[in-house]
Each structure stands twice: as structure tokens, then as C-alpha cells.
Amino acid sequence: MIRSIVVGSGSALPDRVVTNAELAKTVETSDEWIVQRTGIHQRYIANENETTASLGEAAARSALDDAGLTPDDIDFIILATSTPDNTFPASAVDIQNRLGMKHGAAFDLQAVCSGFVYAITTADAYIKAGLAKRVLVIGAETFSRLLDWEDRTTCVLFGDGAGAVILEGGEGVGLSNDRGVLTSHLRSDGSHKEKLYVDGGPSTTGTVGHLRMQGREVFKHAVAMITDVIEDAFEATGLDAGKIDWFIPHQANRRIIDASAKKLGIDPQKVVQTVHQHGNTSAASIPLAIAEARKDGRLKEGDLVLLEAMGGGFTWGAVLVRW
Ligand code: UT7
């Protein structure tokens, strides 16, 4: 059977680092509160010349270099983002142009913090259906543009950045020791809209709007939703927590990550955490963490990796992939 194998990864971050101490000068907060409640120490914030498309392009180029490929080798680009440069066209098409591609197709996919898990699942389906050979999957966000910088309950949590992977069709025998995406499980439930949303948009206010979140409510649902969908992934493959080499979750809050790993029985040493450096970068957080674990040598070919995310919508999902 066809498997979608990860052949490269990369990332890009804005130049500017903003520490908790810097934020404490503008809103009533403290480094102690932010670290204790979230695990976040700093985040990267885009300057006016850095955008979702420019960060996405840089991450894409770094993934292409890592794979030893050029844009000519790619036939599809899927960009997971909720912060496109323009309402339309899709920022994926802008990235396609920046990469000098005149062939193939590109589109944006919007599932907020679950965007990367949705995009990997979509790319895998395109490859399995024979519609694409090599897909560039990017998660890129500039959430700083959506934040209400006077709202301490949200502005301390998010950051900007981008990460990318390249998936390539290859042969597998259909067993869980194949390389590539082994299983994907996506969920959504729109009845939770009011708990995490942006209070603007083209069809309502005609403005971009600001992110609004009932943090405690999101927190309450997060661990149960995450662990449910991961258990579905284990059931579909006959794998279990003991077989996982790396758990690479969406990086929203260290307490959510730790509680999910604990509930699933995943060894804390096997959890890749970047939330302390990046904050919550929405759809970019998983590919940023992947790139980090690849660069520092932790994540190796043949490793079994569990990806998971939960976010606005609510949307949530899990993917098991053998590197
Ligand atoms: O990626 C998409 C998914 N999003 C998430 O996963 C986020 C989920 N939620 C969370 O991570 C947490 O709920 C937060 C980090 C947002 C908040 O942590 P919490 O432990 O749930 O705190 P809380 O909202 O219950 O607030 C506790 C107190 C409140 O004061 P009172 O009402 O107890 O007097 C807040 O007003 O902390 C106060 N507070 C702050 N204090 C200092 C809220 N934000 C801040 C702040 N600095 N930045």
C-alpha cells in the first residue's frame, strides 16, 4: 500500500524574542504567573516585514534543504493557518509563488491549533489517492496580529512562527512497522465556538478582530478530547503508549501536555516540549517542535511519533507516524 513518508522538516521564527518580563511592563502579569500556569518563558513576535507567508516560505525552504529537494519536486502545498496575509488569495499560493513554482496546486486549510494535524491528514489522503506525489505541509501563523494586547488572559499565551514537513508517497506493506503516516483521526464540534474564537471576520464585522478565549473552559475539555482521539489511533493500529518513541503534541500549555502524557502513560522523557520558547503558535507549534527534535538529533528514522492537537472550533485530532 502507499504510505506518506516524511522526507524533510524545517522551521522559521521571527527575529524578535519577547520575554515574560517585557510583557509585564505593559499588562498586569508576572513571569512567575505565566511560567507557573503555562510553562511559557518567551515567545517570538513578527515585525511588520515578517508575515505568515514570509515565515511559511522560510520554513518551506528549510524543509526542502533538509530533504535535498527543490520546489520542482513538490506537486502540492497545504498551508495550515488561521492568520493568512490576506483574506484571499490563500497564503499557500503566495508561498508557491515565492518558491518560484508555476506547477502544482496550493491551498490554505483552517482548523486553528489543530491545523497541522488536519493538513497532514489531508496530504496523506491526497498521496494515497494518487493525486499527489510530494506534498509540502506548512503550519505558519502570526497570532500576534489577532491579539488584544490589553487582555492579559490571552496576550501572554501566543507567539508567531512556522514549521514545515515534506510528505512523499512510498511503498509499505500495511503494517505498523511501515515508515510513514500509519493512522489519522480528526474530530470537531462546533457547539464550543464561543469558548475560543476571533470576534471579527470578512462576513460579519468586516474587520480582522481579536482572539477571545475562556481559558479555563478550553482547559477543562482539552485533556479528555486529546486522550480520546489518541486512544482511537492506538486502537486502529494495535499500538500503545509504551511503543511511542516521541510524543509531539500541540504546544499550548505545559500543564495540558503533562496531564495528557500522564493520562496516556507516556514517559515524560519521550515528550517533545517547545512551549517554553515559542508560546502557543497554533498550527505552527507541532512542525516547529518536529524541526527542533530533528535538529537536536532526538527524532530518528524509524521512530514511532504521536502527533496531537486541540483548538478553536473545537477541532482536535491525532496522527501516528513512523519517521
Ligand atoms: O491552543 C488552543 C487551546 N488553548 C488552550 O489550550 C488554552 C487552555 N487554557 C489554559 O491554558 C489556561 O486556562 C490559561 C493558561 C489560559 C489560564 O490558566 P488557569 O489556571 O486556567 O487560570 P484562570 O483562567 O483560572 O485564572 C486564574 C487567575 C484569575 O484571577 P482570579 O479570577 O482567580 O482572581 C485570572 O484573572 O489568574 C488571573 N490571570 C492572570 N494573572 C496574571 C489571568 N491571566 C493572567 C495573567 N497574569 N496573564
Side-chain angles (χ1 to χ4, degrees):
M1 70 178 291
I2 299 174
R3 291 290 196 191
S4 308
I5 297 166
V6 183
V7 295
S9 59
S11 61
L13 288 161
D15 288 337
R16 181 169 163 235
V17 174
V18 175
T19 62
N20 293 344
E22 242 179 293
L23 288 180
K25 289 182 196 153
T26 54
V27 284
E28 206 183 320
T29 190
S30 64
D31 178 55
E32 192 193 0
W33 190 95
I34 301 170
V35 172
Q36 196 206 356
R37 302 283 176 141
T38 70
I40 298 167
H41 290 254
Q42 60 167 53
R43 72 285 296 139
Y44 291 79
I45 301 292
N47 67 34
E48 61 189 15
N49 300 316
E50 292 166 324
T51 68
T52 292
S54 77
L55 293 166
E57 177 199 1
R61 289 191 185 279
S62 114
L64 286 164
D65 281 352
D66 183 48
L69 296 170
T70 72
D72 287 346
D73 301 312
I74 301 297
D75 45 17
F76 245 98
I77 300 174
I78 305 178
L79 170 67
T81 190
S82 300
T83 46
D85 286 20
N86 298 86
T87 301
F88 75 76
S91 292
V93 178
D94 191 348
I95 293 172
Q96 179 191 26
N97 182 49
R98 286 163 180 259
L99 294 174
M101 284 172 64
K102 295 277 180 207
H103 65 280
F107 63 90
D108 287 1
L109 184 157
Q110 210 264 61
V112 204
C113 297
S114 310
F116 188 74
V117 165
Y118 270 64
I120 287 278
T121 303
T122 306
D124 180 43
Y126 274 67
I127 289 171
K128 286 212 170 93
L131 293 170
K133 271 205 188 97
R134 273 196 214 95
V135 186
L136 175 58
V137 181
I138 307 166
E141 301 277 19
T142 44
F143 259 50
S144 62
R145 315 276 211 248
L146 292 178
L147 298 174
D148 173 350
W149 287 99
E150 289 176 4
D151 175 11
R152 69 173 183 173
T153 69
T154 53
C155 76
V156 303
L157 304 174
F158 295 89
D160 302 332
V165 300
I166 296 165
L167 289 182
E168 180 179 301
E171 277 299 313
V173 293
L175 298 174
S176 64
N177 54 0
D178 282 351
R179 285 188 68 202
V181 175
L182 300 176
T183 194
S184 298
H185 299 265
L186 300 182
R187 292 292 319 280
S188 64
D189 178 351
S191 68
H192 297 284
K193 178 180 170 185
E194 301 302 322
K195 298 186 181 87
L196 175 50
Y197 70 106
V198 170
D199 63 4
S203 184
T204 49
T205 58
T207 63
V208 172
H210 289 121
L211 182 149
R212 305 291 174 204
M213 178 165 73
Q214 298 167 26
R216 213 176 303 183
E217 283 299 308
V218 179
F219 197 109
K220 230 168 58 188
H221 287 84
V223 177
M225 285 177 161
I226 289 164
T227 51
D228 266 8
V229 80
I230 290 173
E231 274 156 13
D232 290 346
F234 286 153
E235 201 178 305
T237 52
L239 295 165
D240 57 51
K243 303 223 170 52
I244 299 298
D245 293 300
W246 297 109
F247 177 41
I248 310 187
H250 168 50
Q251 310 279 321
N253 183 319
R254 195 194 59 222
R255 286 155 59 211
I256 296 175
I257 296 173
D258 290 347
S260 308
K262 191 168 174 208
K263 192 168 172 206
L264 290 157
I266 297 173
D267 179 352
Q269 305 287 329
K270 296 183 169 180
V271 183
V272 177
Q273 294 224 29
T274 52
V275 67
H276 58 293
Q277 305 172 63
H278 302 155
N280 181 348
T281 57
S282 183
S285 87
I286 294 175
L288 273 164
I290 288 172
E292 172 118 345
R294 278 295 286 169
K295 270 186 227 148
D296 67 22
R298 271 179 293 176
L299 175 52
K300 298 187 187 68
E301 196 174 307
D303 283 352
L304 182 64
V305 179
L306 173 59
L307 310 177
E308 153 283 300
M310 181 264 182
F314 292 150
T315 55
W316 66 108
V319 174
L320 271 169
V321 47
R322 191 170 299 282
W323 227 254

